[in-house]
């Protein structure tokens, strides 16, 4: 748009430059004409012409009434409405330039219009004086070489904003701006100053007309201190959106521009289609801060160049505005009321500058009336005159910097209970903040510049941890008790036949597993983050070793049983073969070695570390607490955690599944060498099932520390308790029922079993088997003989003698020695090989003979029945 205006301006320039000559000059020779562009009836931007135009007219009256000013001349203002639209503003400017009379200077308001006018005016050698343009971009002397303004640059607010941020300890700020050059250039200056002051710009959001998304983004970015830069129409939309998105109140601080009228957030809502009520707008506006350059002379009694105090000017202006229909008495001011002194002083600046120029031109026999758009010389004189103009105006002391900017104090206000209250003033040049300590914060304290995020470590609940520790401790005590029991009763057949060392290994594994339950619950509550990796590693080693010791011991038993049963099919002698204990131990040792290899590779190559899982932010319990909670959960993880877990789970899974298979295969096998194999099998089922459930479930619920801990802990505890119960309860019952087992004295472990006795026993076993074979033969013979007797009886005679003969024959085949045989196919051999007392508890080391005797104890019998 600027380009089209610019091209238009260039084309028209040639024509306009010759206009004055063509028109023959001004009709009245004592009138100095200036052009005025006032934004009045527009719908966006700044419509400050509503109050500034009357103010300028008052100034013209005053200037023209002064005899010492522009003697013999009067100043005349030719003005039109730009609506704060640059295009319309350019059109107004062309009309002013095209049409007679010759204008000596232009007055303009609204940054966008001033930018357009001032950029073009240099082509006509015209000085532009802006009474209502705050755009910092206008300070560019290259681009606007003939521009002056009584309105301070918007950059004067920035040092004030920074001063306040430092005062309240805010180091994080967001910016919301309307996409207009005036605000873009203000933001650029603000960003530079923030960087210099070490203040972080968290986000910069801009919008053309609808601020909805921009405000939403502010919320997303956790903006708390927000500088809003927009014209008043957009400000109303922003305020309504702030209300809708709840971006106001105790947690937020908004900096607005201070030149809106005091009641800006209550008016024009319906007209502008703002869908918030006045009440909602008031609510959202409460507490916001404004900064604005002082535009009214603060010394109310000080007479200014016009002879008026600023208060006198206010009364005059109010009278004029009242006549124009504004409800001034009810504080309903037109837009631009704040800037009205600037427009008044702008006219005075023009008059003073013309006065000075006239004096100067007079010396050369020239006059301002000689000015035309080609006359650079007079234009330069006007420029120099205005550049050096200084006076006390109703807006304060008027002077122009080398950039043509006005130098001014800034005022800080806050909306408290719906009214703007002055909090203080800031003199940028002197770095002097005058503060009245009147600020009010809706939360009772200065809002924070960010959401304070409190990290809260999720830890295992203490009661759960204590319960699990108590249960584990009980389990450990039980396991220790069972180890003692196992050793103490290792001479007893019931213990010996179950491989007590294997059982002790299993119990040690149980203790190790249960110990890991303590470590599983040791989290950030008890352990410092630096020590946590050690806990991670220790618990992994414990679980791995504990599992291998306990499960490995059971696995080796079922594995041996399976081997025995499969071999027995091919070689019947295996039935009586002893189980070599080293074979059981070597199985456990083998598994342990594999564990060590994997664990060492894992821990040395890619050790377990403390990894913190972050959860979404949560609200604090207390609504008054303006912070968020960031839950954290510690995990033990390696870089390639899944790979290592895959290896461990794969290997353990294979052992589990193989154990399950062996347990299933040997489910109905009774092996005298390992008397508890069926219970071991049941224990294996239980362990396998729990492991297969626990491993995947814990992976799924890993983020729920209590559930995860309870699940893993209870699985371990359950496995351990059940294994101990299945394997030891029958043994304990047996031992309790028969505390004075006869064999106990005979097979006291202290006495020991000699090699000769063992060999003797082995011979007896062989003999026993031989006898069984003979019995079978005899039985066959008896059967044959019985059949014959029956045959003979059926013939009628000599049957009794035959029977006696058969008995005698059978007795003659009975082997000598102390073994007594009981006839009957299902009866087993009573082999009282060692003792004269004839007990059936014949056991040597890990080897037992499966016997059943009328003289064995009833409980032994029952136990053998149930186990084997
Ligand atoms: N104080 C009014 C400024 C208007 C503008 O810069 O456009």
């Amino acid at each position: 748009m600027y380009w089209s205006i610019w091209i238009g301006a260039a084309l028209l320039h040639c024509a306009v430059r010759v206009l004055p000559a063509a028109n023959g000059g001004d009709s009245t020779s004592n009138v100095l004409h200036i052009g005025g562009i006032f934004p009045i009836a527009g719908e966006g931007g700044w419509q400050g012409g509503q109050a500034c135009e009357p103010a300028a007219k008052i100034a013209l009256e005053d200037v023209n009434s002064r005899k010492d000013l522009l003697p013999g001349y009067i100043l005349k203002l030719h003005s039109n409405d730009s609506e704060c639209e640059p295009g319309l503003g350019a059109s107004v400017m062309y009309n002013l330039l095209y049409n007679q009379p010759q204008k000596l200077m232009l007055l303009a308001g609204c940054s966008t219009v001033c930018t357009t006018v001032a950029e073009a005016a240099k082509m006509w050698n015209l000085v532009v004086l802006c009474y209502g343009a705050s755009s910092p971009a206008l300070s560019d002397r290259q681009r606007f070489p003939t521009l002056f303004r009584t309105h301070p640059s918007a950059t004067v607010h920035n040092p004030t904003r920074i001063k306040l941020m430092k005062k309240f300890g805010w180091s994080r700020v967001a910016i919301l701006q309307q996409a207009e050059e005036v605000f873009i250039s203000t933001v650029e200056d603000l960003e530079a100053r923030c960087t210099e002051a070490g203040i972080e710009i968290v986000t910069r959001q801009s919008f053309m007309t609808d601020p909805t998304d921009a405000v939403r983004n502010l919320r997303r970015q956790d903006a708390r201190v927000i500088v809003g830069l927009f014209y008043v129409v957009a400000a109303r939309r922003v305020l309504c959106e702030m209300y809708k998105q709840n971006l106001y109140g105790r947690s937020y601080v908004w900096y607005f521009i201070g030149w809106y009228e005091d009641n800006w957030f209550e008016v024009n809502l319906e007209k502008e289609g703002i869908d918030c009520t006045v009440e909602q707008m008031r609510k959202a506006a409460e507490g916001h801060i404004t900064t604005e350059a002082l535009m009214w002379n603060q010394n109310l009694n000080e007479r200014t160049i016009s002879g008026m105090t600023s208060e006198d000017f206010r009364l005059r202006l109010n009278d004029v505005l009242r006549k124009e229909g504004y409800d001034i008495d009810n504080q309903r001011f037109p837009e631009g009321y704040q800037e009205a002194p600037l427009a008044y002083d702008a006219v005075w600046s023009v008059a003073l500058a013309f006065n000075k120029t006239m004096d100067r031109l007079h010396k050369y026999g020239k006059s301002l009336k000689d000015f035309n758009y080609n006359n650079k010389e007079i234009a330069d004189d006007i420029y120099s005159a205005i550049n050096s103009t200084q006076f006390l105006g109703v807006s304060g002391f008027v002077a122009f910097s080398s950039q043509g900017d006005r130098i001014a104090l800034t005022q800080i206000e806050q909306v408290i209970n719906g009214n703007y209250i002055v909090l203080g003033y800031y003199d940028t040049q002197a770095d002097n903040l005058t503060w009245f300590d009147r600020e009010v914060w809706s939360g009772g304290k200065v809002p924070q510049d960010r959401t304070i995020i409190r990290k809260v470590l999720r830890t295992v609940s203490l009661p759960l941890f204590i319960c699990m520790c108590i249960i584990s401790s009980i389990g450990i005590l039980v396991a220790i008790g069972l180890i003692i029991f196992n050793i103490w009763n290792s001479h007893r057949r019931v213990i010996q036949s179950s491989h007590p060392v294997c059982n002790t290994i299993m119990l040690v594994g149980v203790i190790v597993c249960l110990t890991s339950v303590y470590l599983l619950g040791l989290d950030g509550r008890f352990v410092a983050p630096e020590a946590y990796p050690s806990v991670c590693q220790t618990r992994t080693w414990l679980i791995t070793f504990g599992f291998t010791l306990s499960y490995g011991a059971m696995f080796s038993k079922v594995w041996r049983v399976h081997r025995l049963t499969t071999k027995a099919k091919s070689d019947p002698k295996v039935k009586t073969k002893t189980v070599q204990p080293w074979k059981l131990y070597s199985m456990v040792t083998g598994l342990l070695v594999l564990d060590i290899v994997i664990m060492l590779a894992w821990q040395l190559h890619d050790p377990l570390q403390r990894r913190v899982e972050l959860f979404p932010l949560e609200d604090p319990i207390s609504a008054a607490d303006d912070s968020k909670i960031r839950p954290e959960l510690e995990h033990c993880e390696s870089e390639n955690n899944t790979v290592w877990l895959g290896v461990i789970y794969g290997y353990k899974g294979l052992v589990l599944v193989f154990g399950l298979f062996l347990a299933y295969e040997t489910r109905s096998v009774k092996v005298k060498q390992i008397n508890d194999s069926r219970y071991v099998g049941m224990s294996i089922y239980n362990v396998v099932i729990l492991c297969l459930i626990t491993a995947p479930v814990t992976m799924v619920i890993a983020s729920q520390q209590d559930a995860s801990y309870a699940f893993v802990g209870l699985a371990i505890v359950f496995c351990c308790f059940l294994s101990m119960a299945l394997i030891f309860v029958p043994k304990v019952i047996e031992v309790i029922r028969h505390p004075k087992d006869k064999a106990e004295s005979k097979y006291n472990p202290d006495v020991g079993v000699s090699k000769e006795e063992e060999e003797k026993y082995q011979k007896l076993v062989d003999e026993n088997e031989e006898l069984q074979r003979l019995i079978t033969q005899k039985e066959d013979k008896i059967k044959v003989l019985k059949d014959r007797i029956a045959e003979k009886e059926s013939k009628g005679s000599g049957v009794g003698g035959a029977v006696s003969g058969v008995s005698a024959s059978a007795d003659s085949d009975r082997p000598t020695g102390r073994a007594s045989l009981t006839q009957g196919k299902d009866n087993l051999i009573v082999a009282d090989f060692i003792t004269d007392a004839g007990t059936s508890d014949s056991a040597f080391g890990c080897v037992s003979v499966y016997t059943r005797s009328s003289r064995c104890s009833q409980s032994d019998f029952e136990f053998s029945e149930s186990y084997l």
Side-chain angles (χ1 to χ4, degrees), residues 39 45-48 52 84 109-114 131-136 138 149 151-152 154 157 182-183 231 257-260 292 295 335-336 338-339 342:
W46 178 70
Q47 308 307 325
C52 286
C84 199
C110 160
S111 288
T112 51
V113 171
C114 279
Y131 55 86
S134 60
S135 172
L138 294 171
R149 51 181 164 172
H151 196 299
H157 303 210
V182 47
F183 305 119
Y231 283 119
I257 292 172
W259 38 256
Y260 311 148
E292 181 52 310
M295 296 177 196
E335 205 166 340
Q338 302 249 33
E339 292 84 354
L342 303 178

Side-chain angles (χ1 to χ4, degrees), residues 769-782:
E769 281 174 0
E770 181 59 23
L771 286 171
Q772 281 187 61
R773 194 179 56 76
L774 287 171
I775 289 166
T776 314
Q777 282 177 4
K778 294 291 177 196
E779 279 176 348
D780 291 345
K781 267 190 186 174
I782 288 166

Side-chain angles (χ1 to χ4, degrees), residues 18 51 111 145-146 169 240 291 329 342 391 520 645 674 680 682 685 805:
V18 296
S111 288
T146 60
C240 182
T291 54
D329 300 324
L342 303 178
F391 64 97
L520 284 170
L645 280 183
I674 301 173
V680 168
M682 287 165 72
Y685 293 148

Side-chain angles (χ1 to χ4, degrees), residues 573-641:
K573 284 221 161 194
V574 170
K575 279 182 184 168
T576 57
K577 209 177 162 189
T578 58
V579 173
Q580 300 299 317
W582 68 264
K583 287 189 177 174
L584 299 175
Y585 311 149
S586 61
M587 171 65 72
V588 180
T589 312
L591 293 173
L592 270 182
V593 168
L594 208 54
D595 272 354
I596 291 170
V597 170
I598 295 173
M599 289 298 290
L600 275 180
W602 184 0
Q603 299 306 310
L604 293 178
H605 186 261
D606 186 11
L608 283 166
Q609 298 293 337
R610 178 180 184 266
R611 186 186 69 77
V612 176
E613 182 186 358
L614 298 178
F615 293 89
L617 289 175
E618 290 176 358
D619 289 324
I621 298 161
S622 161
D625 188 354
D626 184 18
S627 62
K628 290 271 177 193
I629 291 170
R630 165 80 70 198
E632 290 184 344
L633 185 60
E634 290 167 313
H635 291 282
C636 296
E637 276 184 20
S638 306
E639 287 287 315
N640 301 303
N641 206 51

